[in-house]
Amino acid sequence: MKTPRIRIAASVFLVALMLVSLWTAVGYYGKVSRREAAADRTFRLSDRLSTLQTVETPAGVRFRFEKNGREILRTPEEFAREIARNELRRARGGWFFRVFDITSTTGIFWVTLGLAGQLAFTGRMIVQWIVSEKQRQSVVPNVFWWMSLVGSTLLIVYFLWRVDVVGVLGQATGWFIYIRNLWLIYQRGRPVAR
């Protein structure tokens, strides 16, 4: 009798967690109304650079933005030169920098992390397919859930860097399911499929 109650409780918990995550994401990204944004003169620059504000200073108008955790103040000319430098870095980086929309070698690390996560996530299906073919029936081996968890975790970290709420929510919901399946497997001491 306890097993159905645990399943129902776990299901309710997962649904509640997804709803709270969605509510948090919508609340975070929808904080400023259009009227407030226009009055504040805050603009969204890109997916990874936070916001750009125009600030009146005694020396004239300046652009204020955050980059790598630091607040930066630039004249319009300095800001335009910085954008041109980023475009030049992207062009000099070749096709890799353009395709993956990065402007520095640090971006290579993050893209590699995301690709590794996607590779693990795709590899899990190949592993499941091979095991099922060997046993001539549909089998989900334990390594499937481990590869799902590792791939999902790497992708969540990558999507956080990209500031991609859709990617984070998509992977986070599955992440809890992978944890739950591994918990059930090891709680019952289920034999490992070879």
Side-chain angles (χ1 to χ4, degrees):
M1 275 298 185
K2 288 184 180 180
T3 305
R5 288 182 185 167
I6 291 173
R7 286 183 187 157
I8 291 170
S11 299
V12 169
F13 174 74
L14 287 174
V15 169
L17 191 58
M18 285 188 277
L19 291 173
V20 167
S21 299
L22 182 62
W23 177 70
T24 303
V26 169
Y28 176 75
Y29 286 101
K31 276 183 182 174
V32 181
S33 71
R34 288 183 186 157
R35 185 179 300 165
E36 289 170 335
D40 188 28
R41 293 183 290 177
T42 301
F43 306 96
R44 189 95 179 129
L45 290 178
S46 73
D47 287 344
R48 286 179 319 264
L49 197 59
S50 60
T51 56
L52 171 70
Q53 294 179 315
T54 55
V55 179
E56 296 287 336
T57 67
V61 174
R62 298 288 185 262
F63 289 123
R64 179 174 52 202
F65 60 97
E66 187 177 310
K67 187 174 180 183
N68 298 329
R70 293 181 323 148
E71 186 176 291
I72 299 172
L73 203 60
R74 296 272 191 263
T75 65
E77 295 81 18
E78 291 169 338
F79 185 69
R81 279 195 299 271
E82 186 158 341
I83 290 174
R85 272 194 306 270
N86 282 345
E87 289 303 316
L88 185 59
R89 283 185 201 124
R90 189 175 287 118
R92 283 184 183 159
W95 66 269
F96 189 82
F97 277 51
R98 283 191 305 277
V99 167
F100 291 105
D101 189 27
I102 55 175
T103 58
S104 70
T105 52
T106 311
I108 294 171
F109 165 77
W110 290 105
V111 167
T112 304
L113 186 81
L115 289 173
Q118 190 59 51
L119 185 64
F121 209 70
T122 302
R124 73 195 179 120
M125 297 306 295
I126 295 168
V127 167
Q128 192 271 335
W129 176 44
I130 291 169
V131 170
S132 292
E133 286 295 327
K134 282 183 178 179
Q135 296 193 11
R136 297 283 182 213
Q137 65 179 355
S138 182
V139 177
V140 181
N142 294 354
V143 72
F144 174 89
W145 298 111
W146 282 109
M147 289 177 77
S148 299
L149 183 63
V150 168
S152 182
T153 302
L154 292 175
L155 286 170
I156 288 170
V157 171
Y158 173 74
F159 286 133
L160 285 171
W161 174 72
R162 282 283 183 188
V163 191
D164 184 344
V165 71
V166 173
V168 170
L169 286 175
Q171 292 300 320
T173 52
W175 194 84
F176 290 104
I177 293 168
Y178 311 141
I179 292 283
R180 177 70 176 145
N181 275 289
L182 286 167
W183 181 26
L184 290 172
I185 289 167
Y186 290 105
Q187 183 181 24
R188 293 187 183 164
R190 183 177 135 190
V192 179
R194 302 209 185 276

